[in-house]
Amino acid sequence: MKKILFAVKTSVCCLLAMLLVLFNTKIVAMAVEEDTQQLAGATVAFVEIANYDIAEGIVEAGNDVKVNINLHNASSSIVANNVIVTLSSNSGMVYPTYGSDNQVYVGSIGANKTSTATVPITISPEFRGNAIDLICTIGFESRGARLSNTATIVLPTSNGSALAVKSIDVSPKATVYGKSLLSVNYVNNSADSINDAKLTITGNVDNDSKVIDLGAISAGKSYLKDYYITFVQTGAQNVDITLTYSDANGETVETNLGTYSVNVENEGSTSSESAQTNGYILLAGQIVSLIAMVVSIILIIVYIKKR
């Protein structure tokens, strides 16, 4: 009987031991599988540069330029928070525009969403070359961790182009259906004349303002010319300006000269405000004259009574 009980106890112990081993193996396998799944999927956000362009200005020595950096959150499910873009340059020829710094706070970027950071920079007057280098550092938070991503972007200058625009100026204020000044300074760096150069204006302007013919541009010559554009809508209007011409090989060259913002007012709004102001001044003058006349009459009456 004792032998039978001992055999039963031994069998039960062995069975329990086998069950414990199998249970632990299953738990470990599940943990490994879960970790593998987490590693295989996106566990944090990742912000990258989708593309970039020049929002305003021309990349030349001594110029102020605004750079649009379009950011993309590559994660399909996690938001990137407190996104900050910082620009620097190894060449030392680029620095923040006066009154600004080299950092732009973007905020949050949703999963698989994009956002744009516009960074104002100034190019050193001592800069010489065909392109400037910018180091773009993107800092962001994801699931309580502070992360970063760094990329280098290059902005080409117009030094290597046959036709280089040195500066362009658009009047920041205009009157609807009135002429607004556009000044452009350009130079032909090539040994051949350019006869088909034109500026294309994209925005709420009339048909005569959409294309500006620059005329014949002699080899090696520089020009400073004034043109006029006419806006057909009021309010804050943005215009994109593009330079197009054919080089010596007959190939079409197209250069984006940036986007410019103009505040367009209704015709006569300024004059009406001035007229209203002048009316107030006239009324005040009449009141003062009336008071002076009354005071004079009173003084005369008092003087006559004393005599």
Side-chain angles (χ1 to χ4, degrees), residues 117-141:
T118 301
V119 186
I121 60 173
T122 296
I123 303 172
S124 171
E126 300 177 358
F127 170 74
R128 300 291 183 273
N130 294 324
I132 59 172
D133 66 299
L134 293 174
I135 301 173
C136 181
T137 302
I138 309 166
F140 56 95
E141 292 181 359

Side-chain angles (χ1 to χ4, degrees), residues 287-304:
I287 292 174
V288 171
S289 299
L290 180 61
I291 293 173
M293 185 177 66
V294 171
V295 171
S296 299
I297 293 173
I298 294 173
L299 290 175
I300 292 172
I301 294 173
V302 171
Y303 177 75
I304 292 173

Side-chain angles (χ1 to χ4, degrees), residues 78-92:
I78 301 172
V79 177
N81 298 311
N82 296 322
V83 180
I84 298 177
V85 175
T86 304
L87 285 187
S88 59
S89 176
N90 284 330
S91 64

Side-chain angles (χ1 to χ4, degrees), residues 43-176:
T43 59
V44 294
F46 182 77
V47 182
E48 60 185 355
I49 297 178
N51 52 67
Y52 57 91
D53 56 44
I54 299 172
E56 183 177 323
I58 300 171
V59 183
E60 294 289 350
N63 284 358
D64 293 336
V65 178
K66 290 183 179 179
V67 183
N68 280 338
I69 300 176
N70 300 312
L71 305 172
H72 174 244
N73 181 2
S75 173
S76 60
S77 59
I78 301 172
V79 177
N81 298 311
N82 296 322
V83 180
I84 298 177
V85 175
T86 304
L87 285 187
S88 59
S89 176
N90 284 330
S91 64
M93 292 288 106
V94 181
Y95 40 85
T97 300
Y98 178 78
S100 306
D101 55 38
N102 65 332
Q103 287 190 331
V104 172
Y105 179 76
V106 180
S108 298
I109 303 178
N112 202 29
K113 299 294 183 180
T114 58
S115 185
T116 300
T118 301
V119 186
I121 60 173
T122 296
I123 303 172
S124 171
E126 300 177 358
F127 170 74
R128 300 291 183 273
N130 294 324
I132 59 172
D133 66 299
L134 293 174
I135 301 173
C136 181
T137 302
I138 309 166
F140 56 95
E141 292 181 359
S142 178
R143 289 194 169 181
R146 190 67 188 172
L147 306 172
S148 66
N149 180 27
T150 301
T152 300
I153 61 179
V154 176
L155 301 179
T157 68
S158 58
N159 290 340
S161 303
L163 181 58
V165 175
K166 309 302 290 182
S167 66
I168 188 167
D169 182 51
V170 179
S171 178
K173 293 184 179 180
T175 302
V176 66

Side-chain angles (χ1 to χ4, degrees), residues 199-271:
L199 297 177
T200 302
I201 314 296
T202 304
N204 291 319
V205 296
D206 65 1
N207 290 330
D208 293 337
S209 305
K210 292 184 180 298
V211 177
I212 298 175
D213 186 1
L214 298 183
I217 305 173
S218 301
K221 298 291 185 179
S222 61
Y223 300 81
L224 176 60
K225 290 187 177 182
D226 293 336
Y227 300 95
Y228 295 95
I229 57 178
T230 301
F231 290 90
V232 296
Q233 288 188 13
T234 59
Q237 302 294 330
N238 290 331
V239 289
D240 296 323
I241 303 178
T242 304
L243 171 68
T244 307
Y245 65 94
S246 298
D247 61 13
N249 298 322
E251 297 181 359
T252 300
V253 179
E254 186 174 295
T255 305
N256 181 15
L257 301 181
T259 302
Y260 300 84
S261 180
V262 179
N263 183 28
V264 182
E265 299 179 346
N266 282 315
E267 185 177 4
S269 61
T270 303
S271 59

